[in-house]
Amino acid sequence: MIGFKAKFRLATIVVLSIGVALVAIYDLLKPISNGCTMTYMYPTYIPISAPKSLSSSKYGLYLYHEGWKQIDFDEHLKQLNGVPVLFIPGNGGSYKQVRSLAAESDRAYQGGPPEPMLYQEASLMYEGFEIDETNIPILNQYARRLDWFAVDLEGEHSAMDGQVLEEHTEYVVHAINRILDQYKESQDARVKEGAVESGSLPNSVILVGHSMGGFVARAAVVHPNLRKSAVETILTLSAPHQSPPLALQPSLGHYFEYINQEWRKGYKVQNSRAGAQLSRVIVISISGGGNDYQIRSKLEYLDGIVPTTHGFMISSMGVKNVWLSMEHQVILWCNQLVVQVSHTLLSLVDPETGHPTSGPRKRLAIFTKMLQSGMPGSLSGRSDFHQQSPRLPLQKGRNFFGSVRKNITACPSKIRWSDEGLERDLYIKTPTVTILAMDGRRRWLDIKELGSDGRTNFVLVTNLLPCYGVRLHLWPEKGTSMSNSPLSKRVVEVTSRIVQVPSGPAPRQIEPGSQTEQPPPSAVFWLDPKDMHGFRFLTISVAPSPTVSGRPPPAASMAVGQFFNPEEGRKEFSPKSLLLSVFSQKDIFIKEDHPIVMNITFSINLGLLPATVSLETTGCGIKKSGLPVEEAGDMNSGRLCKLRCFPPVALAWDPASGLNMFPNLNSRTIEVDSSPALWSSTQGSEQTNVLLLVDPHCSYKTSAAVSLTASARRFMLLYNSQIVGFSFSVVFFALMRQANAWELSFPVPSLLSAVESNLRMPLPFLSLAISPVLIALFYSYLSSKPLPSVGSFFVVSMICYLIANGTVIVLVLTTLILSHLVARIHVFFKTRWRWWILDLSTSFFSFKVTRVINANPSLATSLLAIVLVYFVHPALGLLILVFSHVLCCHHALCSFLTASSEARAEDLFGFGSGIKKIESEVGLPVDDHSSSSPDSTRSYGDTQLEMFHHRHGLLILYLLCLLMFLPSLVAWLERLSMSHNFPWLLDSMLCMGIILHSICNSKPEFNVFFQIPGTRGYEIRQGFVYMIAGYCCYLWGLDLAPYKAFYAIAAIGVVSFIFRIMERRNRNSRKHSHRH
């Protein structure tokens, strides 16, 4: 009987699990504001005929055409001569989702490349591998348009079934070959009509895959039927690469492992077929960021699959000109991203050949230049952030001045500023310089004087365009003009070091020439001591104000620069303050004349505990302006502070999601799509650094409060696979407790009691919950893998284990309530209308088939389950298995309840010693250990109760297996009307092992798992095996591969079956020897 403390312990865990789940669901259902602009188009889809040799016509291939006019399909196909791009939809997606990308690509081709903004481009250095970007041409017009194709995969759910995923891969390979053949057919048709063809045919297709379509694109590259060099460029949008988003079905997880292993082998063995194919393939993965609830950034990594010399992963929040986090489907139509991707793909086309650039290094350089921001990701990611600013790309072996002049790009020669007006130069005497208008002046800053007292870094934030609006130079000495020959060789223009950052909407001007609110900064410029070494002065030159139609321009220009000490801007939110901020937030006050760069460290990663960061302006120096106190006070609390303080910008860096930028930060929940506290996480991922660019003239009150709903959502999204794997370990540990009790001749405890016993402190919980975590850390240490942060990894693993216990407890309680309810109804009617039930059961059991099944129920259900597992679907076989255990549990429980009620009402009904006879007649199982004596009623009922507890434990185990296959069953039912294929052999074999486990462990007396041949007394008990299986499931859960729990159950089933056969043979041989 479970006591009060045990009940309270179980209730607490259940409340925790249900509470986290409900809060997470509530946050998931809330609408998301992403800031994306809708893309519009006039779509037309032209079907591409399939060759007669193709046996399956289930899928289709289409060519997209943009335009509202009706066209002749055959004539349009005849003029096909662009660059082929194939779009692959994802899980449940449609081929029509290509329309946004295709429409914007057509507009981008007609409009031409965007005008260069002259900001600093992204670094092209990858772990010692340097990509030369000087050969990347600056285009005035794109060489050739993109021909967008799309495969129609019938909206099948490829994320739920491995077989569907493999069939999609096979059809995509056929589609690629068919597209290349179509270009040959179109050229032959034009030549036949007398056209002169000078260009060559395309020999490769660019693949663009969304969601599971991105993985299908990679799988197609290593498919044996793909033509050589038919795919050289892959762009994926919110696509999982490391593992499936729901790693439930074994074949699905196995297919991911197989494809990833083929890619790894291809890069290791270059002389193989896969190696030759992959050596020219570039893979770019774009993630949707934190708003993508379906695919986490952790799954979209290319680390360990594609080397950095052949691809990279970037979050949409870090994509240049986008800087937005978006939902899973929004990434297909978000105009900011679609436009950038369209120009990127068009930039791949070589103007000389009209085909995509052949060199993989050059293609990677184009992707880097077009997608990545010039802001270094590590700028805010380390404690020594002031030493991680953008470096002047110095070359070893060169003097400083020569290397700088060679590698820093000056402004274009067409942008010339006159040296007139040098007499109006301004000499700044304070560490902070402010520019509020385009005044045509040059400001001199003495680096030696202003950079003293630890102010070794310089930062400038501005909304002026580099070269067009502002120019910056480093001078070794004071001069009057850069035209002086000796000095000009030593003056370095560093304007190209200005990095673009996202900016919010510019404020509106009330009337021409009037002052407006401070505009948001759109660029940042950074110099550290190494960059300024050898120079004495820094000049900031601002262009004069242009006039348009005789009217003055809007007064919305700003630039604020400062020499500052990075150590003065450090603030930290401790773990205690973050956890307490759920109830009461902590405020940090930033006084005026503070550093322009504030480095705030969150000790707990914002990917695990997203925090709402508020930045409230409390003052802007007006009280020091000499105005009356009353008027100054009103101004401080009014809009005039907005005229003086520029809107803050937040830069959050995370190893998983990269750089995240948040413009116009007033009050916003900062969330990074990281994956902390996982087994594969690295040291340093347990915290997040946020860099704030704030106006030094103003004072602020900064507060951070952890969002409880967002934290619950992030937790369930990040660790759901871990919780599923732990659920199997909880059930195995409970079965271990039952097996040990039977072995020691103790009553078999209920599954609920076994789960509660395993949660007791200290020994059960320490050995079952904490030991696997220590084993995982020890394995990482021995295998030289990066160790996660021990503290966060341990805490999160314990929370996941408790939630897994809560999930199992809810499942156990639900089945227990239903079992008792049905059994009591059954017993009630049986005891009231016993003779009518006996007559009905007698007529029913008189059938021959019924007698055979009744004599061997386990064999009959097992055979039916095996047939369904191998020839229909594994889930149906598991359903039969679960149903058979439901019946066994029902019979055992009915026998127990009947025995209890008969014993209490023996005089009323007169059943007495005929209980076993009644149970046998009604068809309920009779246990061999029970006695038929009148005094054995209690032992018989207890035996049936123990049988129920044992069967109920197995029922929960098999029910979890069935739930793992439910998504695959849904995908199978959707395809049932189109075609039928046999299940994957791997799934069928594993489910066969589960059926064998059911046959060999249906009774608690089957407690010997294996006996070492030739020995006596050396036995491996079932309890020990269940404990090992629980540890394995725990480790597989930490590895985010819960589907591998099927391997443990199947292995136990196969070994048990083999041992039962050996045991029976030994028994028969002994009987034969006795006869002789």
Side-chain angles (χ1 to χ4, degrees), residues 1044-1055:
K1044 292 185 178 180
F1046 285 91
Y1047 296 136
I1049 306 174
I1052 296 175
V1054 171
V1055 176

Side-chain angles (χ1 to χ4, degrees), residues 512-567:
S514 64
Q515 187 178 5
T516 65
E517 296 179 0
Q518 278 279 14
S522 60
V524 60
F525 173 82
W526 190 297
L527 290 176
D528 68 4
K530 291 184 179 180
D531 300 330
M532 295 182 286
H533 177 71
F535 296 99
R536 178 63 187 270
F537 293 96
L538 170 67
T539 59
I540 306 173
S541 303
V542 181
S545 300
T547 57
V548 180
S549 301
R551 296 183 180 181
S557 302
M558 60 78 61
V560 178
Q562 184 189 62
F563 286 92
F564 72 100
N565 183 358
E567 298 297 331

